[in-house]
Amino acid sequence: MKTKISLLLMLFFSICAIAQQIEVNGVVTSESDGMPLPGVNVIIQGTSRGTSTDFDGKYTIQVSRGEQIEFSYVGFIAQTVTVEDQTEINVILKDDIASLNEVVVVGYGTAKKRDLTGSISSVNGEEVADKPASNPLASLQGKVSGLSVVNSGQLGQNPDIRIRGTSSRYNVSPLFVVDGIFADNIDFVNPNDIESIEVLKDASSLAIFGVRGANGVIIVTTKRAKNGEFTLNFTSSIGVKNITDAPDMADAALFRQLYDEQLVNEGVAPFSYYDEFTGDTDWVDTISNKSAFIQTNNLSIQNATEKNSLSFGLGYRLEEGLVKDEELQRITFNLNNEYKITDSFRMGLTINGLQDKLPNTGGFGSALNATPIVDPIHYDDRPEFNGLYNQLPIQIGGPQIGNPALVAEVTKNKNIGERYRFVGSLFAEVDFLKHFNFRANIYGDYNNFRGRAYTPIVPIYVSETDEIDNFNGNQITRVNQSSTVVFNFQQEYLLTFKKEFGKHDVNAVTGFTTTQTAFESISGSVAHDPNSAVGIIPDDSRFWYLNVFPYGDPSTRTSNSSQSERATSSFLARVLYNYDGKYLLNTSYRRDATSQLAPDNRAQNFWSVGAGWLVTEEGFMDNFSSLNNLKLKGSIGELGNQALPGGTNYPYYPGVSQGATAVFGDQVFPGFIQKFEENPNLKWETVNMWEAGFESTWLDYRLTFNATYYNRKTENLLVFVDTGVQTFFDNFGEIRNKGFEFETSWSDEFNDNFSYSIGGNLTTVNNEVLSTFEDAAIFANGSASRTITGQPIGSFYGYIVDGIYQSNADIAALPPSTLGSYAPGDFKYRDVNGDGEITPDDRTKIGNPTPDFTYGFYLNLKYKNFTLGMDFQGVYGNEIYRNWGNGNSFTQFNFRTERAGRWNGSGTSNWEPRLFSTEYNSLPSTYMIEDGSYIRLRNIQLGYTLQNKLLEKLKLQQVKIYANVQNLYTWSDTSGFTPEAGGSPTSFGVDTSGYPLPIISTVGVNLTF
C-alpha cells in the first residue's frame, strides 16, 4: 500500500513539475558588435539539460520557474539568468577581453587575466586549427609580440622559436608544456585538438618554472568538453604546395660564357668536353615535386554530462615534400576524460599520441651548385649505357656534387623512418575546507624513433671516359639500423587556496614536483661480402636489418649505443593577490635541485615579484569615459637556464673516452682518458629580468593598446672551454636582451551585415654580449658567425668590401694586402685598423642576424556569411649571410646570374669581382651580406558559412567552407629561396641555400553536427 502511495505521489509531483515548465526563447548577441552568436551553450544550471543557439543566435528551451539558465561561449563572459514568468530572454554577452575576466592558463593552474602582472599572450586554438602546418608553432608566426618564429619548408622540420631574443650559448628554445607535461616541442599535437596556446614571457609568469623557464614558456591546452554539450566535428582540407622565389642561376649558355672566361683568366686549358655535355638543365625544376599534395582529415567528439566530460580527437595528415618522393604520413589522437566522483572529488586522464612515417628528406643545395650543361639521363644507342644517369663533369664538380636527379632517386624509398610518441597524464583532485584544493598529477612521455636505411650500388655514366662507374664509387651494399627511446616521467603534488574576503582576493598554490629523463640509443650497420657467392643485400626492405642472413658479412657488422639518465626535484609556491579589484601583487618562488651538478651547487633558488594597478577602477577615472580599462604593471625576478651543448648530460661527471693504447708483452691494452676536467663549482646559468608596461582598452572596448619594456640579462653563462691544453665546463659571460613590445587592435561594424577588425604587434630587440670567457671571441664551427664582448651574439665577422681594384695603378695607390695574391678585378678590403696594410686584424663586424624589430598585423572582414582574413608578418634591420654561390677554390659550382655583371675590364663593375677561382674573393666579407628585412603576406583566407535553412535539412549545427593561401608573396632583397634562416644560438641567419618556403593553397570544410 505504501509503495502505491509513493508512486502516486511521485507521479503527481512530476505532473506538477511538467505543468510548471514553460518554453523560453530568445537571441544571444555579442556586446562588441551586436552580431548574433551561433553555438552558445544554453544550460539549465545543476542539470544536464540544455541546447545551443542556431546560426542566427536563436534558442528555445523548456525550463521551470525558479531555475537558472547559464549562457556560455568561448571568448565571452558566461551569464546566468533566473527564470520567473519570462517567455523571452535575450542575452548580450560581453567579450572576455573587454572586462579582463578572461581565464588564462599559467604555470600549475589558471588565473584571471585581470589579476596577473606579467606578460602572457593568448592565442585561441581556432587560429591554428585550419592552417596548413604540421607543427602548430609555425602558425604563430607574426601573431604574438616578443615571439620570433623562423619557419622551414622542409617536411617534419620544427621552426626556430625564440622569445625576446637570444639569451644563451647552447639552447634558446622555450619550454613547452602540453596539458601540464614538459616537452621539447609540440609537433605531436594535432592543431585541430588545441583549445588555447599561452606564451609566457616575463619573470612574473616564468619564475615558477625555475631552471626551465629562462627562455620563456609556451603552454598548450587541448580541448575539453563543456557541460551539457555533445558535439561531433569533422574537418577536411586538401591543397598543393609550390616553390616560389627560386634563386636565379646561370643557364647553359651563360655558364659556358662565364666558365670559359674564368679559365682564360686563370691561364689554364679550355674545357674540352662541351661536345659531351650539351644539356641545359634547370636542376631545381628537375627535382621539384610540382604541386606537392597535402591533405588533412580530423574528427573530434565532445560530450559532457554532470558527471563525466569526454573529448576525443583523431587526425590524419598526408603531405608531400618539395623534392620528388618526399612524403610524411602522420596519425594523431587526443583523449581527455574527466570524471566527477563527488561534488568535491574528480579524476581524469589525458593522452596525446602520434605515429609518423617519416620522409626521405632532401634539399636543393646540390641543385643550385650543379652545372646546367649536363642532361640528367644519358641516352645512347648502346643498351648498356642507355638510360643511365649522367655523372657531372669531372672538372666541374663531378667528384663533389652528385647528379641531383640521381641523388633524389637513390634516396627514394631507401630510408624507412618511424616515430611513435605517447604523452599522457593521470590526475586526482579534491576540494576541501571550502577554499582548498589538492591535486596530484603523474605524467609520462614516451618517444621512440626507429630507422632503417639501405645503400645500393648504382651505376652511372661518365662522359669523359665513356665508361660506367658506380655512384660515389660505392662497391658495397650496406644496411644501417637504429633505435632511439626517450622517456620522461613527471609528477606533481599541488595545494591551491582561493578565497575572497572583504576587499581581498587570494589565489595561492604550493607544491612539489619531480622530473626524470631516460635516454637510450642503439645503432649499427652491416655490409655484404663481395667475395661471397650469395651476392649483394637485396633492394627489398624485408632484408634491411643487421642480422640479414645470409647476405650480411658478420665481420663488417658494427654497433654503438649511448644512454643517460637525469632527474630534478623542485619545490614551488605562488601567490596572486588582489586588493579591492585595483591593486595587484604576484609573487613566485621555486627551488630546483638536479642530479647533474656537484652536491654543493645542486640546488638553486628562483623568484619573482610583480605589481599592478587597475587605474580605471579608481573613482577619479569616472569622467574618462573613453578609457575603459588601464592597468599599469611591472615585474622583476631571477630564473635559471640549464642549456648544455648537444650530447652532454653530466657536466660535473665527465666520463672517459678512448685514448692511447699500451703494449705489455704480446698484449695490447686500451687506454682511456677523462673527457674533460670536473668543476665542483659549476652551476646553472642565472637570468635576471624585469619589465614595466601597461594594458589598455578604449572607446567602448573597440580599441586596445598595450606596451611593455623588458630587460633580460643572462649571467654566469654555462660554457665548454677548450684552451688547447685543458677542456672543462665553467660559468663565464653575460648576455643582455632589451626592447619594447607593442600590441594594438581595433574592431567595429559599419552596419548589421558588415564588421571588421584590424590589429598588430611590434617587438624591438637589442642584443649585446656583455662578456665572454677571458673576453675571447667565440666562433661557431669556423663560420663567419662570431660571439664577442660588445657585439650581438652570432654577429657576422669578416672584411668590408670598398669596391673592386680597377687597375694596377689602383692597387699601387691603396694599402697592400697580406691575405693572398690579388689583381685588378679583385676586392678592395678596407684597412679597418688603419695600420697601412690589409691583414686578418682588419676583420670586423659586418652584420647582425638579430632584427631591430619584428612585427605582424592582420585584417579581418565579415559581410553577412562571408569572412575574409589576411595576416602579414615581417622583420626589419637584420642581415643574412649568404653561404652559397660565392665561388669556391676547390670545386667549380654553377654561377648565380648576378655574376653576369662581373668585372671584366676597368670600369665594368665595382661590386661583382672577376671570374677567378681564388680564395681571396671567397673570404667572409660584406659581399656575402644581404639585407634580411622582409614583409610577407603570411596567410589569406576566404570563408563562407552556410545559411540556417540548409543546415536544418542536413541536420548540422554549422558548415563552413574556406579557401586558404599561405606565403602568397614575400617582399625581400635576398637571393636565396627565402629570407628566413634559423640556426643555433651562436650561428643563425646563415643562408646555406637550404629549402624553399612554399606557397600552400588549400580548400577545406568544417562540419559540426
Side-chain angles (χ1 to χ4, degrees), residues 648-716:
T648 303
N649 291 291
Y650 309 107
Y652 173 64
Y653 309 99
V656 295
S657 59
Q658 190 168 350
T661 59
V663 179
F664 295 93
D666 59 353
Q667 293 186 343
V668 179
F669 293 87
F672 297 91
I673 58 174
Q674 193 167 281
K675 286 186 176 181
F676 49 84
E677 299 178 29
E678 68 268 23
N679 181 356
N681 298 316
L682 193 67
K683 58 185 178 181
W684 297 130
E685 299 174 0
T686 55
V687 180
N688 293 292
M689 62 173 68
W690 65 273
E691 72 166 36
F694 66 87
E695 300 173 3
S696 64
T697 56
W698 305 71
L699 304 176
D700 294 329
Y701 304 102
R702 290 176 294 176
L703 173 66
T704 66
F705 181 68
N706 306 326
T708 303
Y709 172 80
Y710 65 90
N711 191 307
R712 178 174 64 171
K713 183 168 73 170
T714 306
E715 300 175 335
N716 299 314

Side-chain angles (χ1 to χ4, degrees), residues 5 70 456 479 516 579 627 698 753 796 913 985:
I5 293 173
E70 182 181 67
V479 168
Q516 295 170 273
Y579 177 75
L627 177 59
W698 305 71
N753 293 324
F796 302 129

Side-chain angles (χ1 to χ4, degrees), residues 734-736 766-772 775-777 786-795 845 848:
E734 296 180 348
I735 299 173
R736 183 176 60 202
N766 184 308
N767 176 275
E768 182 182 1
V769 177
L770 301 179
S771 64
T772 60
D775 286 335
R786 183 183 71 154
T787 297
I788 192 169
T789 300
Q791 301 291 346
I793 191 170
S795 294
K845 175 190 170 186
N848 180 9

Side-chain angles (χ1 to χ4, degrees), residues 710-748:
Y710 65 90
N711 191 307
R712 178 174 64 171
K713 183 168 73 170
T714 306
E715 300 175 335
N716 299 314
L717 285 171
L718 186 63
V719 295
F720 182 71
V721 179
D722 185 351
T723 65
V725 179
Q726 295 175 291
T727 55
F728 54 92
F729 279 96
D730 213 331
N731 296 102
F732 281 103
E734 296 180 348
I735 299 173
R736 183 176 60 202
N737 289 274
K738 61 182 180 180
F740 291 90
E741 292 178 359
F742 302 99
E743 299 174 330
T744 187
S745 66
W746 171 272
S747 60
D748 202 357

